[in-house]
Amino acid sequence: MKKVYLDYAATTPVDPEVLDAMQPYFFDKFGNASSLHAYGQEAKKAIEDSRKMLSEFIGAKPEEIVFTSGGTESDNFALLGTAYALEKKGNHIITSAIEHHAITEPAKFLEKRGFKVTYLKVDKDGLVSPQDLQEAITDKTILVSIMQANNEIGTLQPIAELGKITRGKGVYFHTDAVQTIGHIPVNVDELNVDLLSLSAHKFYGPKGVGALYIRKGSRLETFMRGGDQERGRRGSTYNTTGIVGLGKAVQLCQKNMSNEIKSQSALRDRLIREIPSLIPKVRLNGHSVKRLPNNVNFSIKYIEGESMLLNLDLFGIACSTGSACTSSSLEASHVLLAIGLDHETAHGSLRITLGRWTKESDIDYFLEKLPQVVQKLRAMSPLYEKD
Ligand SMILES: *Cc1c(COP(=O)(O)O)cnc(C)c1O
């Protein structure tokens, strides 16, 4: 059976060149990067090469990068690390209503421990208003965390503009850039951010490795204790293979990015154009232009996302409803509710995300099968008949 993967926002395959780069560090060059002998120094050098590659890629200095176990750890580190370092200064944190759970859950944890959290509303396209941010900042605010691109609806926030506001008020600014790194240009100075999270498996690197960018001079309480790695900011034996893979993935994204933006946004725009002409009663979620080049999200009325996924899966097509973390529960996505959808419409959402190996023929196949699936499910839906 034909297999078509359209779920690159959930995870990406490791690029074969990334795998090749990692391979020697499992056996021949297996040393512990903290060891002083040649084995250790060889691993250490590879890690520092990756650090340099990543820092240049995002316009940072090598010493401003801390490698972590991925996006979730980086997000937790940013929130908890700032909260604990600055709790004497203030106890107020601002974030948005559409963040990933890796932000909203630590935010809720902090709320239970005496911190106040403001969740900024978004408009119907998923955008945070700079004026709302301006008005929400008080003299107790220590941190603002707003994601650069939403993982479900693909909307891109005006991060540089929001960062100007936080800078003017002397408040730390964190962005979860897990969906943007490797997909669109990202520069920490242009974005005016102090902290930035990224994860390798979202840009053709291995799972379980990521980084937190920490602007020089920012005070963060250590999150992982037990070793002096990463200048004492994160204990744990260096994940050499993962870090080498991350560096190689960065290098490949640097090389391919402008072509991939062009080819993926052309396929994205074809889906955005053709889905409404093939299927009545659909709604595009997310901003029409301020969105990731690889993200498409539609609500398809009268049917459930879960049934759509399973029926598409029978044709070998993989996509998503909401985010991979929420789709195993039957709660409607907090992101779709925040942009104003009712529960029923939110339940019928389909996310299609494209990547390095998506071909025009994959989109042809998808556009052939999706209307068949929708027709079949709507024929069984009592809601559809009434309308
Ligand atoms: C995937 C994702 C995360 C979590 O990253 P992991 O490396 O899987 O822990 C966090 N934020 C966003 C926006 C994501 O898409």
Side-chain angles (χ1 to χ4, degrees):
M1 189 177 53
K2 195 172 164 67
K3 277 173 80 181
V4 172
Y5 185 78
L6 297 172
D7 202 12
Y8 281 85
T11 193
T12 61
V14 167
D15 191 294
E17 285 190 51
V18 169
L19 184 59
D20 284 348
M22 291 169 70
Q23 206 93 39
Y25 294 90
F26 284 101
F27 191 78
D28 289 335
K29 307 183 179 186
F30 66 93
N32 183 327
S34 302
S35 303
L36 292 176
H37 48 61
Y39 292 89
Q41 293 314 297
E42 192 172 40
K44 171 106 181 123
K45 168 145 192 346
I47 287 166
E48 295 316 313
D49 286 349
S50 274
R51 193 189 305 280
K52 187 154 183 288
M53 204 109 68
L54 174 61
S55 63
E56 282 169 6
F57 189 52
I58 62 170
K61 299 180 194 75
E63 63 273 21
E64 294 175 315
I65 303 291
V66 173
F67 288 114
T68 65
S69 66
T72 303
E73 185 189 325
S74 296
D75 283 349
N76 273 268
F77 188 5
L79 258 73
L80 302 180
T82 304
Y84 292 144
L86 302 183
E87 62 190 338
K88 293 216 171 59
K89 185 164 176 259
N91 67 344
H92 181 225
I93 291 170
I94 300 171
T95 183
S96 85
I98 62 164
E99 298 297 309
H100 191 275
H101 288 124
I103 292 293
T104 55
E105 291 301 318
K108 281 191 222 154
F109 171 86
L110 288 169
E111 275 184 291
K112 279 193 244 150
R113 278 152 187 83
F115 284 84
K116 302 262 179 298
V117 180
T118 301
Y119 299 88
L120 296 177
K121 291 197 182 71
V122 294
D123 69 10
K124 65 178 189 0
D125 297 321
L127 285 170
V128 166
S129 140
Q131 195 183 338
D132 286 354
L133 174 61
Q134 182 96 39
E135 288 165 7
I137 298 176
T138 71
D139 57 2
K140 289 272 178 269
T141 309
I142 50 172
L143 174 70
V144 174
S145 176
I146 307 286
M147 70 202 315
Q148 192 179 11
N150 182 269
N151 48 301
E152 294 187 40
I153 58 175
T155 299
L156 294 165
Q157 301 296 342
I159 295 298
E161 198 183 337
L162 300 174
K164 244 184 233 158
I165 296 170
T166 57
R167 189 142 300 168
K169 303 261 190 183
V171 172
Y172 284 12
F173 188 31
H174 167 255
T175 192
D176 174 337
V178 173
Q179 288 291 335
T180 50
I181 295 286
H183 298 274
I184 60 171
V186 171
N187 179 294
V188 292
D189 286 339
E190 286 169 15
L191 293 178
N192 300 314
V193 295
D194 305 301
L195 302 160
L196 178 146
S197 302
L198 60 100
S199 176
H201 79 95
K202 301 289 175 79
F203 58 93
Y204 316 105
K207 293 169 183 56
V209 61
L212 182 65
Y213 156 76
I214 305 175
R215 184 176 293 279
K216 201 171 179 210
S218 312
R219 283 174 49 214
L220 247 68
E221 191 58 63
T222 297
F223 181 64
M224 294 263 273
R225 296 163 194 283
D228 62 1
Q229 290 87 356
E230 298 289 0
R231 299 161 172 252
R233 292 171 298 183
R234 196 229 184 222
S236 175
T237 300
Y238 283 104
N239 173 7
T240 315
T241 51
I243 294 169
V244 166
L246 187 154
K248 187 67 189 182
V250 159
Q251 199 186 14
L252 296 176
C253 286
Q254 201 153 23
K255 191 176 87 184
N256 296 328
M257 188 183 292
S258 58
N259 283 333
E260 288 184 351
I261 290 175
K262 265 187 235 136
S263 60
Q264 287 169 25
S265 51
L267 296 176
R268 172 198 67 185
D269 293 343
R270 182 179 165 204
L271 287 165
I272 291 178
R273 212 170 44 242
E274 294 190 21
I275 289 175
S277 73
L278 293 167
I279 304 169
K281 308 244 185 218
V282 297
R283 172 197 198 278
L284 178 69
N285 297 318
H287 198 280
S288 58
V289 265
K290 293 176 190 164
R291 78 185 297 138
L292 285 168
N294 70 335
N295 172 291
V296 178
N297 187 314
F298 274 99
S299 281
I300 302 187
K301 281 204 87 160
Y302 311 116
I303 53 182
E304 278 193 352
E306 288 78 14
S307 342
M308 248 184 309
L309 280 203
L310 297 175
N311 278 274
L312 287 167
D313 192 43
L314 295 176
F315 288 116
I317 297 168
C319 28
S320 164
T321 176
S323 77
C325 324
T326 55
S327 60
S328 58
S329 70
L330 281 174
E331 266 173 50
S333 141
H334 68 290
V335 176
L336 298 176
L337 296 179
I339 60 171
L341 301 196
D342 57 48
H343 274 260
E344 191 212 316
T345 312
H347 270 304
S349 84
L350 190 66
R351 180 187 72 179
I352 306 134
T353 47
L354 319 173
R356 186 163 289 166
W357 293 281
T358 308
K359 296 189 290 292
E360 192 83 45
S361 61
D362 296 333
I363 303 302
D364 295 339
Y365 182 70
F366 175 77
L367 287 171
E368 178 197 325
K369 297 302 177 196
L370 180 67
Q372 294 173 19
V373 165
V374 170
Q375 202 172 21
K376 177 181 139 191
L377 293 173
R378 278 184 175 170
M380 299 188 299
S381 162
L383 295 165
Y384 189 52
E385 277 169 20
K386 270 190 278 161
D387 200 70

